[in-house]
Amino acid sequence: MKVAVAAVALLVASAHAALPVASRQGSCQAAFEKCIFTFEGTSGIPVFSPGAPDTSISPVVVYKDGSAPTGEEPMASPSGEPGGVLPDIVGHIDATGEATVYPTGGAGVLISQYECPSQSFSQSFFKATNLGVNDMGYPVSGVGHEFPQADQVDCLDGLCVSLFMRKWQSFGADGSVDNILSDDADRDVNCAVFILKV
């Protein structure tokens, strides 16, 4: 098991504030707990508002404390206890898969299968966005969306989203760089969860 020896400083995307959500029951909370990614400066399931298309609606995507990409062991703190420090820096997210959405009180469904009265969503509606580089010089990403059509904005209100991270860079504390490619079997682990509030 690798041991992190230094805390990781990441860029704060101050222009995109995330509001923490109190404990939320049901499938959304369960999805959040499984995912290894979250967003910098947030606790619990963050809430974001839809924004301009193809721009970030979130802060930087980061690993949860003690999490690691599927297939790698989670990091330990210097004391040897699991968690407490970020295992690696999430670099540029090169590709995302189709998001899973959780309607209030409902089970997860792929967004292209989510029923919106007049216009269905594309498989690529939610995606990674470029946020430049952090103060350590590493490329970082947030999440954004395509241009909403017809009544899609109304359909997004209150929706819980789990965005599958398919391919990304992971920078280790030892200076190593891994280009990680995930398959569909890991979509419920290699993901980040958030709620949309219009």
Side-chain angles (χ1 to χ4, degrees), residues 166-198:
R166 184 176 292 280
K167 183 179 180 183
W168 71 95
Q169 292 177 316
S170 188
F171 295 92
D174 60 358
S176 61
V177 182
D178 291 319
N179 290 299
I180 300 174
L181 180 62
S182 180
D183 59 33
D184 284 344
D186 298 320
R187 67 163 40 252
D188 294 333
V189 177
N190 293 334
C191 49
V193 170
F194 54 96
I195 294 171
L196 269 295
K197 184 65 178 175
V198 176

Side-chain angles (χ1 to χ4, degrees), residues 14-35:
S14 59
H16 304 288
L19 304 176
V21 175
S23 179
R24 182 182 174 95
Q25 302 300 315
S27 299
C28 184
Q29 182 67 35
F32 172 77
E33 291 170 359
K34 285 182 181 180
C35 291

Side-chain angles (χ1 to χ4, degrees), residues 135-158:
D135 54 7
M136 296 176 68
Y138 293 122
V140 289
S141 297
V143 299
H145 57 77
E146 296 174 348
F147 188 83
Q149 304 292 325
D151 61 351
Q152 285 182 334
V153 168
D154 294 334
C155 294
L156 292 173
D157 194 24

Side-chain angles (χ1 to χ4, degrees), residues 1-8 75-87 173:
M1 180 180 293
K2 297 183 292 183
V3 178
V5 294
V8 176
M75 297 295 285
S77 66
S79 67
E81 296 299 319
V85 286
L86 297 174

Side-chain angles (χ1 to χ4, degrees), residues 94-139:
D94 299 311
T96 53
E98 184 173 0
T100 301
V101 297
Y102 296 84
T104 303
V109 61
L110 293 174
I111 193 166
S112 62
Q113 299 171 14
Y114 177 58
E115 294 185 6
C116 190
S118 65
Q119 180 76 39
S120 61
F121 290 92
S122 72
Q123 293 180 350
S124 60
F125 185 80
F126 289 105
K127 60 181 71 177
T129 56
N130 180 17
L131 284 176
V133 297
N134 65 11
D135 54 7
M136 296 176 68
Y138 293 122

